[in-house]
Amino acid sequence: QASQEELRAAYRRLCMLYHPDKHRDPELKTQAERLFNLVHQAYEVLSDPQTRAIYDIYGRRGLEMEGWEVVERKRTAAEIREEFERLQREREERRLQQRTNPKGTISVGIDATDLFDRYDEEYEDVPGSSFPQIEINKMHISQSIEAPLTSTDTAILSGNLSTQNGNGGGSINLALRRVTSAKGWGELEFGAGDLHGPLFGLKIFRNLTPRCFITTNCALQFSSRGVRPSLTTVLARNLDKNTMGYLQWRWGIQSAMNTSIVRDTKTSHFTVAMQLGIPHSFMMVSYQHKFQDEDQTRVKGSLKAGFFGTIVEYGAERKISRHSVLGATVSVGVPQGVSLKIKLNRASQTYFFPVHLTDQLLPSAVFYATVGPLVIYFAMHRLVIKPYLRAQKERELEKQRESTASDILQKKQEAEAAVRLMQEAVRRIIEAEEARMGLIIVNAWYGKFVNDNSRKNEKVKVIDVTVPLQCLVKDSKLILTEASKVGLPGFYDPCVGEEKSLKVLYQFRGVLHQVMAADNEALRIPKQ
């Protein structure tokens, strides 16, 4: 929000501080020339309304964007934003050919009923019968990739393989999607497999109003029994800011009508659904609570009842690394029994392990399905995941330090040069402030402070910024805006990639005060 007059005043002040002609020492003169040129470059950007608007919105990356030379002068900030987004879209289109957006799912079904449903008399004469038999009884693998053809056309190739109890098959599908307008798109699908004949499908999506859309999917499945047509239509509407309502009608082999309401907020996710159909009709209610913690922990529960029986599910999921989410769900049902479902999402890949524990409702199975994963998770988190993430973070910090070492060294040299050039100006400022009993910076440090006993083994990394802060004092006031303090004259980053703070001990009207501010926190002293 600085006015042109404020910019000019700051420019003149820094020019007086760094002007080469004010320094006779050859080394100081060279350093002053470099800093003077940096100040001049900054003023050139900020004094031009167009380049200032670009910098205010996008920073240095906006100034480095190709194509600005074709933008006519005297545009508003909003117009410049639109132009920047257009240039970004063009750059994204050039990258389209390099994108495939792979997605995959691997599901491994495990039969562990022998742990709880054993009948010892049946195993008396079987060798090795003292050990329960745990076996994999089904597997499913699917994968898809996208190949953008143009900015509006995309080809999607997908395939899957499934096997259960020794029998299985697979299929392959090719879909061509075209975005027809901002309101909709259409998709043609062709498929074939060894269990089913050729498949031809058409899918259409359309926004009817800003708050309502419809999706229609029709398909023709060819098989030895003839042609099996199917049709699915979904109508959805925003009921309010966080709530969606859905109506679905499905006609074909398994015809059904389904209605559901989904409410999704920052802290919770609630779903209620009802279906009438052949062969399954049911009612379902589910709730998920989202904790606002660093690991994005969520706990969930659901109740589903219908012609197939009743199922109660409860579970939790948690982020275990930057791209991985681990979840576990216990399913208790009649007549389904007890199952434990473990899911790991890693980027766009999903690994799913449903473990069937028993066909009966056994309290012991429910207990071990609930407590077992918790014990294993906390043990793994403490002994494996946490040390691994800590080591990974250290490696990334070390890599970041190495990649920015030369740049940080240059910034350090510039900061040290700026401090030397400030000495005379700071001496005059202190004399003026002492005369009026004003603001004097006694000591100031910037960097990583360790105050927590749990982090006592970590090293303190701070630099002395007393002189640079005193140089910024004007009329017995020091005002810093909401931005990283790394960019202030005389400052540099002493701990790349780590949390930083500014600690100031100052004297105002003869009384000592102390204040501490986070790196991006605004600071105004003296405090009122």
Side-chain angles (χ1 to χ4, degrees):
Q1 291 82 22
S3 66
Q4 287 295 326
E5 289 73 20
E6 290 172 318
L7 282 172
R8 277 194 291 270
Y11 177 56
R12 284 195 298 268
R13 187 181 182 193
L14 288 172
C15 282
M16 290 176 64
L17 189 64
Y18 296 144
H19 202 288
D21 294 344
K22 294 179 69 67
H23 304 278
R24 295 182 180 180
D25 184 278
E27 186 182 350
L28 284 179
K29 195 177 185 73
T30 303
Q31 293 167 348
E33 284 177 358
R34 186 169 68 251
L35 292 171
F36 183 81
N37 289 333
L38 287 173
V39 171
H40 183 66
Q41 290 170 14
Y43 183 67
E44 278 189 334
V45 170
L46 299 177
S47 60
D48 184 316
Q50 186 198 34
T51 53
R52 179 179 174 177
I54 296 168
Y55 180 79
D56 283 349
I57 299 169
Y58 301 106
R60 283 183 178 272
R61 68 189 182 98
L63 298 172
E64 294 164 1
M65 172 67 71
E66 299 174 5
W68 283 120
E69 60 275 5
V70 302
V71 180
E72 61 186 75
R73 313 294 287 179
K74 298 179 181 178
R75 286 200 170 190
T76 65
E79 291 172 327
I80 286 172
R81 182 188 292 273
E82 290 176 6
E83 185 64 23
F84 182 87
E85 290 172 352
R86 184 188 68 79
L87 292 170
Q88 272 196 322
R89 283 196 299 271
E90 289 180 358
R91 187 167 61 176
E92 287 298 318
E93 287 174 6
R94 290 196 294 269
R95 293 177 182 174
L96 275 176
Q97 301 305 323
Q98 301 172 0
R99 290 186 185 169
T100 55
N101 191 26
K103 296 178 183 177
T105 300
I106 296 177
S107 177
V108 179
I110 301 170
D111 184 357
T113 54
D114 206 26
L115 289 171
F116 298 96
D117 293 345
R118 284 176 63 95
Y119 296 98
D120 292 335
E121 62 270 14
E122 295 182 9
Y123 293 92
E124 287 177 355
D125 301 324
V126 180
S129 62
S130 58
F131 297 100
Q133 301 294 315
I134 298 176
E135 58 184 27
I136 295 173
N137 59 0
K138 57 184 176 182
M139 291 184 68
H140 175 80
I141 300 174
S142 64
Q143 186 75 25
S144 71
I145 56 171
E146 295 182 4
L149 306 177
T150 67
S151 59
T152 58
D153 297 337
T154 304
I156 305 165
L157 182 66
S158 61
N160 66 80
L161 292 170
S162 300
T163 177
Q164 183 169 359
N165 296 324
N167 298 313
S171 64
I172 187 168
N173 293 67
L174 174 64
L176 299 173
R177 180 184 298 165
R178 165 167 286 188
V179 179
T180 54
S181 68
K183 291 186 175 182
W185 49 265
E187 185 176 289
L188 284 173
E189 183 180 6
F190 308 92
D194 57 352
L195 296 180
H196 303 285
L199 169 73
F200 297 95
L202 172 65
K203 190 173 183 179
I204 297 172
F205 171 88
R206 181 75 177 176
N207 278 314
L208 302 178
T209 69
R211 299 179 61 185
C212 181
F213 70 83
I214 189 171
T215 302
T216 299
N217 187 7
C218 54
L220 292 175
Q221 178 73 65
F222 294 86
S223 67
S224 57
R225 299 179 182 178
V227 180
R228 293 182 175 178
S230 63
L231 176 66
T232 302
T233 300
V234 179
L235 178 66
R237 178 178 172 80
N238 278 96
L239 303 179
D240 62 31
K241 181 182 177 182
N242 299 306
T243 309
M244 288 287 294
Y246 297 90
L247 286 172
Q248 183 186 76
W249 176 64
R250 186 170 65 244
W251 172 78
I253 301 173
Q254 294 185 345
S255 298
M257 290 188 69
N258 181 297
T259 181
S260 60
I261 295 175
V262 179
R263 181 169 178 79
D264 192 14
T265 66
K266 189 177 180 180
T267 59
S268 65
H269 183 94
F270 175 76
T271 303
V272 57
M274 181 177 70
Q275 175 174 302
L276 297 173
I278 303 172
H280 295 307
S281 294
F282 65 85
M283 286 191 68
M284 187 267 288
V285 177
S286 71
Y287 177 78
Q288 182 181 90
H289 183 76
K290 307 172 187 177
F291 291 92
Q292 302 302 303
D293 58 353
E294 186 180 352
D295 296 322
Q296 300 177 11
T297 307
R298 301 182 178 191
V299 294
K300 54 188 177 181
S302 68
L303 171 64
K304 191 174 183 179
F307 293 166
F308 53 79
T310 302
I311 298 176
V312 175
E313 291 188 342
Y314 58 91
E317 65 178 42
R318 197 175 197 185
K319 191 175 181 180
I320 58 173
S321 71
R322 185 182 303 174
H323 303 293
S324 301
V325 177
L326 180 65
T329 303
V330 178
S331 177
V332 182
V334 178
Q336 289 82 4
V338 181
S339 297
L340 172 64
K341 302 172 184 177
I342 300 171
K343 185 166 72 170
L344 174 65
N345 286 328
R346 172 73 179 170
S348 59
Q349 303 294 313
T350 301
Y351 305 91
F352 186 52
F353 302 92
V355 183
H356 188 50
L357 298 176
T358 172
D359 294 323
Q360 308 172 55
L361 290 183
L362 298 179
S364 58
V366 176
F367 174 79
Y368 285 113
T370 304
V371 176
L374 288 174
V375 172
I376 293 172
Y377 169 76
F378 284 113
M380 290 285 291
H381 188 267
R382 188 172 184 83
L383 300 175
V384 180
I385 298 174
K386 208 170 179 180
Y388 171 76
L389 292 177
R390 192 185 302 118
Q392 186 184 45
K393 186 178 180 181
E394 284 297 323
R395 286 195 300 270
E396 289 177 354
L397 281 174
E398 190 59 37
K399 190 175 179 181
Q400 190 177 357
R401 291 189 195 106
E402 290 174 1
S403 63
T404 58
S406 59
D407 187 45
I408 293 297
L409 181 61
Q410 181 184 346
K411 296 289 185 186
K412 182 180 178 181
Q413 292 170 349
E414 288 178 1
E416 290 171 347
V419 169
R420 285 195 292 271
L421 295 170
M422 290 174 184
Q423 296 291 346
E424 183 61 29
V426 166
R427 185 183 62 79
R428 292 195 301 269
I429 292 171
I430 290 176
E431 287 177 357
E433 292 297 326
E434 283 178 340
R436 64 163 74 107
M437 293 284 286
L439 178 61
I440 297 173
I441 308 298
V442 179
N443 274 310
W445 303 271
Y446 175 68
K448 176 185 175 184
F449 296 87
V450 180
N451 301 319
D452 190 349
N453 289 331
S454 63
R455 299 165 58 198
K456 60 185 177 182
N457 294 327
E458 297 184 26
K459 186 180 178 182
V460 176
K461 303 172 186 175
V462 296
I463 57 173
D464 189 329
V465 290
T466 307
V467 172
L469 278 191
Q470 185 68 66
C471 194
L472 292 172
V473 172
K474 186 178 180 182
D475 299 330
S476 299
K477 293 176 185 175
L478 175 65
I479 300 172
L480 303 180
T481 57
E482 290 183 14
S484 175
K485 296 165 182 61
V486 167
L488 292 174
F491 281 62
Y492 68 92
D493 195 341
C495 46
V496 177
E498 298 184 68
E499 191 175 324
K500 291 173 278 290
S501 302
L502 175 65
K503 187 175 183 180
V504 185
L505 179 68
Y506 66 93
Q507 180 178 300
F508 183 67
R509 292 178 182 168
V511 181
L512 281 174
H513 303 271
Q514 181 175 289
V515 66
M516 197 161 184
D519 188 26
N520 290 292
E521 184 182 352
L523 178 66
R524 182 187 180 100
I525 54 177
K527 294 278 188 180
Q528 297 300 317

